Amino acid sequence: MNGNAATRRVGDVSPRTKIERGRGALGPALELVHTGRAPTRAVLTAELGVTRATAGAVAAELEALGLIRVDSRPGVAGGSQGRPSHRLAVDETGPVALAAQVHADGFRAALVGLGGRIVATAPGCVTVSADPAQVLGAVVDAGAGLLRDTGRRCIGAGLAVPSAVAEPEGTALNPLHLAWPAGAPVRAIFAERVRAAGLAGPALTGNDVNLAALAEHRHGAGRSAQHLLCVATGHRGVGGALVLDGRLHSGSAGLALEVGHLTVNPEGRPCHCGSRGCLDVEADPLAFLTAARREPGPEVSLLQQSRDLLRGEYDDPDVRHAAEELIDRLGLGLAGLVNILNPDRIILGGLHRELLDAGPERLRAVVADRSLWGRSGGVPILPCTLDHNSLVGAAELAWQPVLDDPLAALA
């Protein structure tokens, strides 16, 4: 072998290798644009660690797939120098995921595009049948109607449920605030209903707070956190989730972070789990209304009734006392979680977001006082920022195969 041949073999990259490398970068590139971390081609080049030509080819292929848009002639800001980089954004007319959420006070379907953008929603139902097949059939039908109305391509479907979802079976182990049987095979039922509706792509299922945390980590208040703890109360009960280095920590069987069953008041209310004084019954909307001496009304959900009370009647002594009581209970629970998990950020959703707004200093003080590390450098506690974050998270389940391998998923 002569020297020139050896040099070519060591230092050169064949056209086939370049193509394979570019295709291997499609998924990472799409995720960067999807999460807003690559607004320009220059940033994409740096994040991927590839040449400018490779980044351009990758962006062009994602654009050809109808997933992103490349603006090759962005405006130049006054006083700026040099040639501006191509701007990258998700294609707002591109495919969507069907997202569905079931909770104690109803269910909702939506279409969600890349970037966590909700394209369309169906009116929510306020009655949940004791038959999961009937409920999931209705929510898929609502989503299929949205797809017909919008004419969008569907890449898959995701479902958020208020229960721990056991893996790998996809069963809802403890739908405590629904009348569903324990162990209902929600993933199999959902997948069958999606297939029956003629929809393409995978049909996946997860716990609602897990999915809310995933959505917030990618598109909301949890961006850039390495160890993100999410605690939320929606319509009933309290849930938690942990995102580590961009991935949900769900434990060995999908059952991790059942934070609702931390005891925060040993002499408190009986809990559905058989214990007493758990977060699940001490810091949810029903607990708040009870502490505020208000009767839960049938006209609106418990969550909405609690929000309205906090926003409109906080000067009422009963309402203020109830808010402070729940803040203290929530703070005790968060302090225990900080001691165990050492997160670098905490985000609060549902009614807990409203409690944070009502008493931010009180909540942070309880957490700092009761946690080992709180006094040496308090963990940031922030409100969730996405509307319908569990729906967006359900869509993330469906989008994940596309983020992993756009060519294969869209073939």
Side-chain angles (χ1 to χ4, degrees):
M1 181 183 297
N2 62 43
N4 289 337
T7 302
R8 283 198 303 272
R9 198 168 174 183
V10 172
D12 292 356
V13 178
S14 70
R16 178 177 296 277
T17 303
K18 288 181 179 179
I19 292 171
E20 290 170 351
R21 182 179 298 171
R23 286 178 175 171
L26 286 176
L30 181 60
E31 183 166 344
L32 287 167
V33 178
H34 172 61
T35 56
R37 290 178 290 152
T40 67
R41 197 173 70 180
V43 176
L44 183 68
T45 301
E47 289 288 335
L48 293 176
V50 298
T51 66
R52 188 168 63 179
T54 298
V58 167
E61 185 147 15
L62 291 174
E63 186 174 36
L65 289 170
L67 297 172
I68 73 169
R69 290 188 180 275
V70 181
D71 182 358
S72 60
R73 292 185 294 178
V76 181
S80 63
Q81 296 181 352
R83 181 176 170 183
S85 179
H86 294 36
R87 296 201 64 81
L88 308 177
V90 299
D91 188 341
E92 295 186 355
T93 65
V96 294
L98 189 159
Q101 181 182 11
V102 179
H103 51 72
D105 291 317
F107 61 80
R108 182 179 293 273
L111 304 182
V112 184
L114 282 168
R117 182 176 46 86
I118 295 179
V119 173
T121 58
C125 175
V126 296
T127 302
V128 177
S129 162
D131 179 6
Q134 188 276 328
V135 177
L136 299 183
V139 77
V140 170
D141 287 345
L146 291 175
L147 288 167
R148 287 192 298 271
D149 293 343
T150 60
R152 294 297 188 95
R153 177 183 179 183
C154 180
I155 55 87
L159 170 68
V161 292
S163 168
V165 177
E167 299 295 349
E169 300 87 357
T171 54
L173 287 190
N174 59 340
L176 295 176
H177 304 294
L178 302 176
W180 293 359
V186 290
R187 183 173 299 153
I189 295 170
F190 184 59
E192 191 277 328
R193 293 296 186 270
V194 168
R195 286 194 299 271
L199 304 182
L204 304 167
T205 307
N207 169 263
D208 53 0
V209 180
N210 275 353
L211 299 181
L214 181 62
E216 291 285 346
H217 186 267
R218 291 183 174 179
H219 308 292
R223 279 182 176 175
S224 78
Q226 293 297 307
H227 298 81
L228 175 68
L229 173 64
C230 175
V231 176
T233 177
H235 299 265
R236 288 292 304 276
V238 176
L242 185 66
V243 180
L244 300 177
D245 295 323
R247 294 192 174 276
L248 281 171
H249 173 71
S250 55
S252 61
L255 309 179
L257 271 292
E258 280 290 315
V259 305
H261 300 289
L262 285 173
T263 299
V264 293
N265 181 13
E267 305 302 320
R269 302 174 179 87
C271 183
H272 317 279
C273 70
S275 187
R276 181 177 288 275
C278 297
L279 267 179
D280 213 52
V281 292
E282 295 287 339
D284 79 338
L286 182 59
F288 175 68
L289 293 173
T290 302
R293 304 177 189 274
R294 298 298 198 275
E295 284 293 326
E299 298 83 9
V300 296
S301 71
L302 298 177
L303 177 59
Q304 191 58 52
Q305 189 176 350
S306 299
R307 282 173 166 165
D308 292 343
L309 204 57
L310 270 174
R311 294 170 181 174
E313 300 183 45
Y314 193 68
D315 290 336
D316 181 288
D318 286 338
V319 174
R320 182 181 290 272
H321 174 75
E324 291 176 348
E325 183 177 280
L326 260 72
I327 287 170
D328 291 346
R329 302 294 189 216
L330 175 61
L332 287 173
L334 293 178
L337 292 167
V338 167
N339 290 338
I340 296 168
L341 302 173
N342 188 213
D344 59 7
R345 193 178 310 174
I346 299 171
I347 56 174
L348 302 179
L351 181 61
H352 294 166
R353 176 170 63 176
E354 311 292 336
L355 292 172
L356 175 62
D357 289 342
E361 298 309 318
R362 185 184 187 101
L363 179 60
R364 293 185 177 109
V366 173
V367 175
D369 186 57
R370 295 301 188 104
S371 61
L372 294 172
W373 323 118
R375 298 174 187 173
S376 61
V379 182
I381 304 175
L382 305 173
C384 291
T385 57
L386 299 178
D387 293 329
H388 306 300
N389 51 19
S390 291
L391 273 176
V392 175
E396 291 296 318
L397 288 180
W399 274 113
Q400 192 58 54
V402 181
L403 297 175
D404 292 337
D405 190 341
L407 282 175
L410 298 179

